[in-house]
Amino acid sequence: MSVIEAPTTSTIHSGAAHAERVTTTKLRAMKGRGEKITMVTVYDYSTARIVDAAGMDAILVGDSLGQVMLGYDSTVPVTMDDMIHHTKAVVRGAQRALVIGDMPFLSYNISPEEALRNAGRFMQEAGARAVKLEGAAVAPTVERMVAAGIPVMGHLGLTPQSINVFGRHRVQGKTREAAVRILEDAIRLEEAGAFALVLETVPTPLAALISRKISIPTIGIGAGAGCDGQVQVLHDLLGWNIGYTPKHARKYADAANTFAAAFEEYIEDVRAGRFPTDDNSFPMDEELLEGLDA
């Protein structure tokens, strides 16, 4: 099959084509100025180019790819090799946004040495500029990674890799005891050196309180507008899923139905002989073919 040359950034969107690369320091400065941070999950080169050119501040190569790209029922089966493969592709497509690799289940929990080695793979092998870890028990690991020169984003609240402990996806921190624990965990991760913190499905007042209490940016998903930024799963944002949109998401497009309609029209045109036409084909001097069908 032929390969079509990828469009230049300017042909996709010119808004961020010449902006300087986003860094962890820049995200912290944005919080200081009260500027909201934007982040979305991305899993491939082509989408990364579009998202990057649109001006997104950060891209998370999320282990949510297990569900939306690989068809698993949770993030638990996702491997390091899966994450490295997809992160490489995203890095090739993102010229400006900060690319963060999501460390998968058991890639950082077994031993500090293995955690550091796996985080190093994201940086050296895949080209990510930071990694993300779930939970607060990993604070010593975060501290060790930061000391080794690896920027780390934390993740509190609903941590999807712990779905078998939680039993189901539900809001975290609704009681005073749980709220205090999440707040203390946020402070603990900041002290360990995390440069930012994802808060997932945490009550809005609690997320706003945490955002005020810590100096590093908070990135909310289902945690209200009081966070310093927001992250969404690409497929939720684009309506690139069938039959379900989480409460924390807003559909900015209807990709699933748009794609389905395009595929149906393509099928009909091919079967009816309406595609390809001369406009989609390549001519030649037919005299050159004389006698070849004898």
Side-chain angles (χ1 to χ4, degrees):
M1 298 180 68
S2 62
V3 177
I4 305 301
E5 184 178 354
T8 63
T9 301
S10 61
T11 64
I12 301 172
H13 194 288
S14 59
H18 302 292
E20 63 182 21
R21 183 178 288 278
V22 177
T23 64
T24 59
T25 302
K26 183 173 181 178
L27 294 187
R28 189 158 184 166
M30 290 176 68
K31 172 173 178 139
R33 295 191 298 267
E35 298 176 15
K36 295 294 187 179
I37 297 164
T38 59
M39 184 165 78
V40 70
T41 65
V42 177
Y43 317 100
D44 66 276
Y45 166 81
S46 298
T47 309
R49 291 198 66 180
I50 298 171
V51 166
D52 190 64
M56 199 72 64
D57 297 312
I59 291 174
L60 174 66
V61 188
D63 61 359
S64 50
L65 70 87
Q67 292 146 300
V68 300
M69 301 297 287
L70 303 180
Y72 298 133
D73 62 1
S74 75
T75 64
V76 172
V78 178
T79 67
M80 272 297 299
D81 285 343
D82 291 333
M83 293 304 306
I84 295 297
H85 173 80
H86 285 269
T87 303
K88 284 181 177 180
V90 171
V91 166
R92 287 192 288 267
Q95 301 301 310
R96 173 187 176 274
L98 177 69
V99 177
I100 303 158
D102 206 357
M103 296 194 68
F105 184 65
L106 292 185
S107 67
Y108 54 92
N109 319 74
I110 296 176
S111 72
E113 292 75 21
E114 185 171 6
L116 192 60
R117 182 167 55 250
N118 285 330
R121 286 189 66 192
F122 271 105
M123 306 293 285
Q124 287 185 309
E125 194 176 329
R129 292 181 176 266
V131 297
K132 182 175 77 64
L133 282 65
E134 292 186 4
V138 297
T141 301
V142 172
E143 190 169 1
R144 184 168 182 176
M145 288 180 179
V146 172
I150 301 173
V152 179
M153 173 179 279
H155 185 156
L156 296 176
L158 175 64
T159 47
Q161 292 173 15
S162 301
I163 186 60
N164 291 318
V165 175
F166 292 138
R168 61 185 177 88
H169 292 86
R170 56 186 175 185
V171 177
Q172 302 296 309
K174 295 180 71 173
T175 67
R176 181 177 178 84
E177 179 183 8
V180 169
R181 183 171 63 251
I182 293 175
L183 173 59
E184 291 175 345
D185 287 347
I187 295 171
R188 185 180 178 192
L189 286 171
E190 178 184 21
E191 291 174 345
F195 73 88
L197 184 62
V198 170
L199 297 175
E200 182 166 357
T201 55
V202 170
T204 298
L206 173 59
L209 173 63
I210 293 171
S211 301
R212 294 192 301 269
K213 294 282 286 187
I214 63 177
S215 64
I216 61 175
T218 58
I219 312 295
I221 176 168
C227 293
D228 301 304
Q230 298 294 323
V231 60
Q232 286 291 302
V233 173
L234 178 79
H235 290 62
D236 294 336
L237 188 151
L238 294 181
W240 198 351
N241 42 30
I242 299 174
Y244 173 69
T245 300
K247 177 179 173 60
H248 62 68
R250 177 184 293 176
K251 288 173 60 174
Y252 285 86
D254 190 13
N257 286 326
T258 298
F259 292 167
F263 296 145
E264 290 169 4
E265 185 175 357
Y266 167 69
I267 291 167
E268 291 173 1
D269 283 354
V270 170
R271 289 175 176 169
R274 293 189 294 267
F275 179 85
T277 66
D278 289 345
D279 289 340
N280 316 115
S281 307
F282 303 92
M284 69 174 292
D285 184 352
E286 294 189 34
E287 291 183 0
L288 298 174
L289 302 179
E290 286 184 2
L292 295 181
D293 62 349

